[in-house]
Amino acid sequence: MEFIAAAAGQVVFTPKDTTSYFYESFECQPAVTNGYGGLQFTVEGPLGASFALELQTTSSCSTSDGTYKSHYTVIENLTGSRQTVNVPLIGFDNEPNYDAVVGWVWAVFSKPNVQWSIGNITWICGNVAQPTSPGVTSVPTRSTIGPTATRSTISLPVTTSQPATCSNLLIDDWASQSRLTFLGYNAMGQATSDDGTMSNVVVSNNRVLLYPKDSNSYFYSQFGCLNANNRYGGISFRVRAARGTTFSVALGWSDTCGSNNVKTASLTTAQLKWSFDGTEKLYSFPFSAFSGVDTTKLDMIYFSGLNAGIILGPMSFYCGSTATEYAVPAASPAPSAITRTTTQVAVPSAKGYVIDTFTNENTNSLGEWHGPDEDMAVTFGNNAMTIRTNDSDQSWNTQLANKCADLRNLAGGYLHIAYSGSNKFSIALQQHNSKCNETMAPYPETWDSVEASRYATATDIYVPINHFNVNLGRVIGVNLRGFYTSEPTTITKIEITTSLPSNFKTPPKLASGRLVFACTRPNSFAFAIDDGNPEFIPQVMKILKEANIPLTFFTVGLPLLDQNNGLAAAYKDMASRGHQIALHSYTHPKMEGLATEQAIDWEIQNDIGAVRQVFPSLRSSYFRPPFGTEGARMRQRLAANLNDPEPYIVGWSIDVEDWLWADSPTPNKQLDAFRRDLAKGGNLMVMHYLHQSTVDLLPEFIRLAKASGKRLMRVDQCLEDPKAPALT
């Protein structure tokens, strides 16, 4: 700071520049357990100014070692006078441990060299409510995603042909968070990344937020050695940035396509005569603004030297000498959901009963176990349970019986959940395995999910029991999953009732496919391999040829279209040898966690399109959700987009845990995991060819599977699909 002092309950300071900060550290605070829902403080800064608020968390209050992770949100549009700000605890980026908070930091002040003040910093008990007093502002925290590991750039083919008429050539429309930060592709199918140098890279609504970590942060997008000569005159994109924001823009080109020797020319926003006022505007530059650029071999655009966060809109090459912008096409009409006819069920012959009233953190009203997944934030109090998570992979369970519960006499009844808050989650009824044995794989055997919001009023959810397409003779429990908002959900009762309130109208059941974790064909075993690193493809193919076994590959659509990674050619060869090719999304996100059905549709439709581009006659109804994350919305949209009421959503009962052990000092633990699940009766596998250690162990996995006496086959064959190739 240039100046800092305490006065009248406030700390008054003058930031020297955007690297100035003020922090509060304290003994590790289990905030959620202690009932805190947010932070309140007063702030006074220049009119329209903004700053970043950093939440610092550690792994556990009981084992804190002094290290911490940082999580951010941005607070904007200050009033110019002292105001009270309420910030919800839930919703920060980078998956905070809200039960191990060690500090808060105020930083990246958009207007340095003027006086600011902060005071009255206080934890807020319970949820952060909307303000009722003048001068109080509730700031929604932004669910943002931090940078991923560095992705090596790829070499894609030279663009040589041009359309007869010119229109803006899209570089990136920021259509997918995972396409950008997980796979590292732009809309041209070229490499794009920040290489982990940014504090945040967030895609939303065809915009990308770039928030710098420091002066070394950068972001690039490649073009694939594009020949723009005599067609494109420059690049245009929308920018939203605070007043005083500056950065540099560089163009890169090569003397020879395919060469790693990229030349660059750079200009600052001042040299480009760009200035910002906090509103979104179209900005552009002609190639002629950069000295010496060879427009016949354009390689990339490169942003660096950001002194504040910026938001970019769709970026494209514009035609001729007049700058125009790329207009994102309107989404094509989504296919209608497929309804599933449910049979008329008689009035229940058994009485309903209460499952849970949340008086005990460990057991429900039946005396059976209930509880969350390991990382889910759950709090109890006043006969209620509150779930706070924005991770769609997390779930909460309450069991109906120690072994199997028989609900057949209640098939005409309803699952009732009394709740408040968000209803943006899925409700699943879980089916136990045939032995009602939790030590046998899979456990549970399967479940069917419905979308809570479709069956909800503001206070109650009623789901007909027969809307769950499971074996009601062996139910194990109710599972709440697929949460896709950070807004909390509070539940006070779960029960089975035999009648509906008079004002409640039941919606139709939507088709949600068949969720499978195990083969049904007796004595069968299926290797089901997800995508990996293309450099290991030759070794994988060699192993499979020598083993002479058929299996199933679940392929991510976008890398399949990369013409230089060899995936398309390799998978064509595999298909010709009898292997099954199936769907695995377009860019590999947690699909149930996507904010809208339109975003889920985009993933499914593009994945289908990519596979059909490589395999024109293939019509697959087999889909493996990325990370295994599924829920009612994803399942319903898969059925709708495939026009199939019963597509297969394929999980696994054998996990070699390559994600955990492959790159560790003990990679052979993958073999231990395989043996463990095989011994439990698992027969449907998941693995990736991402690491050398996993690929090296593949022959041993195959040997052990054969030694178990099981016959190795494709997933569709092991599930006795009548459309599958006959066993030979």
Side-chain angles (χ1 to χ4, degrees), residues 60-126:
S60 168
C61 281
S62 60
T63 59
S64 181
D65 59 0
T67 62
Y68 63 87
K69 290 173 64 177
S70 294
H71 321 271
Y72 299 90
T73 190
V74 178
I75 296 171
E76 301 178 306
N77 300 320
L78 297 191
T79 62
S81 58
R82 185 169 300 171
Q83 62 192 103
T84 300
V85 177
N86 292 340
V87 182
L89 186 61
I90 300 301
F92 282 77
D93 74 308
N94 199 20
E95 299 183 350
N97 179 1
Y98 295 108
D99 243 354
V101 180
V102 295
W104 293 95
V105 184
W106 290 256
V108 198
F109 300 96
S110 65
K111 296 188 178 182
N113 303 309
V114 295
Q115 184 171 293
W116 294 65
S117 70
I118 294 172
N120 302 312
I121 303 167
T122 310
W123 287 105
I124 301 175
C125 295

Side-chain angles (χ1 to χ4, degrees), residues 453-534:
S453 61
R454 296 188 65 246
Y455 297 81
T457 66
T459 57
D460 294 276
I461 300 167
Y462 285 92
V463 184
I465 297 295
N466 71 333
H467 278 206
F468 296 106
N469 186 27
V470 296
N471 184 337
L472 295 179
R474 45 185 170 97
V475 171
I476 182 62
V478 175
N479 176 269
L480 309 181
R481 60 191 304 103
F483 293 82
Y484 57 100
T485 176
S486 59
E487 301 169 21
T489 299
T490 298
I491 301 174
T492 55
K493 180 185 280 189
I494 300 178
E495 63 179 341
I496 296 177
T497 67
T498 57
S499 61
L500 275 178
S502 59
N503 61 345
F504 193 90
K505 189 174 182 180
T506 301
K509 162 68 176 173
L510 297 185
S512 50
R514 294 173 279 196
L515 179 63
V516 297
F517 296 94
C519 298
T520 59
R521 187 185 294 273
N523 211 39
S524 64
F525 188 103
F527 277 83
I529 300 180
D530 298 352
D531 276 336
N533 188 333

Side-chain angles (χ1 to χ4, degrees), residues 105 205 212 292 315 337 347 435-436 464 469 472 485 513 516 526 594 643 719:
V105 184
N205 194 32
M315 182 164 55
V347 175
K435 302 296 183 183
C436 296
N469 186 27
L472 295 179
T485 176
V516 297
L594 297 174
N643 194 28
L719 292 172

Side-chain angles (χ1 to χ4, degrees), residues 565-603:
N565 65 15
L567 276 179
Y571 279 12
K572 283 181 179 179
D573 183 59
M574 290 173 181
S576 72
R577 296 174 185 276
H579 299 295
Q580 180 186 7
I581 306 299
L583 305 169
H584 193 37
S585 84
Y586 189 58
T587 71
H588 207 274
K590 291 181 179 179
M591 290 178 58
E592 190 63 28
L594 297 174
T596 64
E597 286 190 350
Q598 289 79 8
I600 296 173
D601 285 343
W602 186 87
E603 284 288 336

Side-chain angles (χ1 to χ4, degrees), residues 189-257:
Q190 305 294 323
T192 181
S193 182
D194 70 315
D195 290 337
T197 63
M198 291 283 175
S199 173
N200 285 296
V201 177
V202 189
V203 170
S204 178
N205 194 32
N206 294 112
R207 302 293 187 271
V208 62
L209 165 68
L210 303 177
Y211 211 84
K213 187 182 300 180
D214 52 40
S215 59
N216 295 317
S217 299
Y218 63 84
F219 181 85
Y220 66 86
S221 196
Q222 293 187 336
F223 310 142
C225 204
L226 176 78
N227 183 359
N229 210 27
N230 298 322
R231 178 167 294 273
Y232 303 113
I235 294 176
S236 66
F237 46 89
R238 287 187 166 268
V239 183
R240 179 184 173 189
R243 196 181 310 276
T245 300
T246 60
F247 55 90
S248 294
V249 181
L251 273 182
W253 71 96
S254 301
D255 289 334
T256 305
C257 286

Side-chain angles (χ1 to χ4, degrees), residues 352-620:
Y353 58 88
V354 174
I355 300 169
D356 227 328
T357 54
F358 309 101
T359 58
N360 187 296
E361 293 191 18
N362 300 311
T363 57
N364 60 25
S365 300
L366 303 173
E368 301 293 342
W369 173 81
H370 67 188
D373 287 347
E374 183 177 351
D375 297 325
M376 176 180 274
V378 173
T379 55
F380 280 76
N382 299 322
N383 292 359
M385 176 188 68
T386 298
I387 296 174
R388 294 178 175 89
T389 181
N390 60 355
D391 185 347
S392 58
D393 206 25
Q394 298 293 308
S395 65
W396 181 88
N397 304 273
T398 188
Q399 288 191 345
L400 273 61
N402 185 37
K403 296 292 185 181
C404 284
D406 191 343
L407 298 186
R408 285 174 291 185
N409 289 337
L410 285 163
Y414 303 88
L415 179 67
H416 170 231
I417 299 176
Y419 83 105
S420 61
S422 171
N423 55 29
K424 294 182 178 180
F425 59 91
S426 297
I427 304 168
L429 194 64
Q430 296 180 318
Q431 173 184 312
H432 212 323
N433 56 46
S434 60
K435 302 296 183 183
C436 296
N437 182 353
E438 66 180 27
T439 67
M440 188 178 93
Y443 166 71
E445 184 175 78
T446 188
W447 56 82
D448 193 17
S449 299
V450 299
E451 190 178 350
S453 61
R454 296 188 65 246
Y455 297 81
T457 66
T459 57
D460 294 276
I461 300 167
Y462 285 92
V463 184
I465 297 295
N466 71 333
H467 278 206
F468 296 106
N469 186 27
V470 296
N471 184 337
L472 295 179
R474 45 185 170 97
V475 171
I476 182 62
V478 175
N479 176 269
L480 309 181
R481 60 191 304 103
F483 293 82
Y484 57 100
T485 176
S486 59
E487 301 169 21
T489 299
T490 298
I491 301 174
T492 55
K493 180 185 280 189
I494 300 178
E495 63 179 341
I496 296 177
T497 67
T498 57
S499 61
L500 275 178
S502 59
N503 61 345
F504 193 90
K505 189 174 182 180
T506 301
K509 162 68 176 173
L510 297 185
S512 50
R514 294 173 279 196
L515 179 63
V516 297
F517 296 94
C519 298
T520 59
R521 187 185 294 273
N523 211 39
S524 64
F525 188 103
F527 277 83
I529 300 180
D530 298 352
D531 276 336
N533 188 333
E535 72 178 74
F536 297 125
I537 280 283
Q539 185 180 353
V540 171
M541 292 179 67
K542 181 175 183 292
I543 292 169
L544 297 180
K545 289 175 185 176
E546 292 174 352
N548 192 28
I549 61 166
L551 49 71
T552 298
F553 287 94
F554 290 97
T555 180
V556 178
L558 183 55
L560 192 65
L561 300 180
D562 185 334
Q563 299 176 45
N564 270 11
N565 65 15
L567 276 179
Y571 279 12
K572 283 181 179 179
D573 183 59
M574 290 173 181
S576 72
R577 296 174 185 276
H579 299 295
Q580 180 186 7
I581 306 299
L583 305 169
H584 193 37
S585 84
Y586 189 58
T587 71
H588 207 274
K590 291 181 179 179
M591 290 178 58
E592 190 63 28
L594 297 174
T596 64
E597 286 190 350
Q598 289 79 8
I600 296 173
D601 285 343
W602 186 87
E603 284 288 336
I604 296 171
Q605 291 167 5
N606 279 284
D607 191 27
I608 293 170
V611 171
R612 287 183 182 174
Q613 187 170 327
V614 177
F615 300 95
S617 61
L618 178 63
R619 299 294 183 269
S620 177

Side-chain angles (χ1 to χ4, degrees), residues 338 513 583 591 600-601 604 608 621-623 633-644 647-649:
I338 300 175
L583 305 169
M591 290 178 58
I600 296 173
D601 285 343
I604 296 171
I608 293 170
S621 287
Y622 287 79
F623 179 81
R633 293 184 310 146
M634 182 277 292
R635 293 174 64 163
Q636 291 162 183
R637 297 314 301 161
L638 181 69
N641 281 283
L642 291 175
N643 194 28
D644 181 351
Y648 290 94
I649 300 101

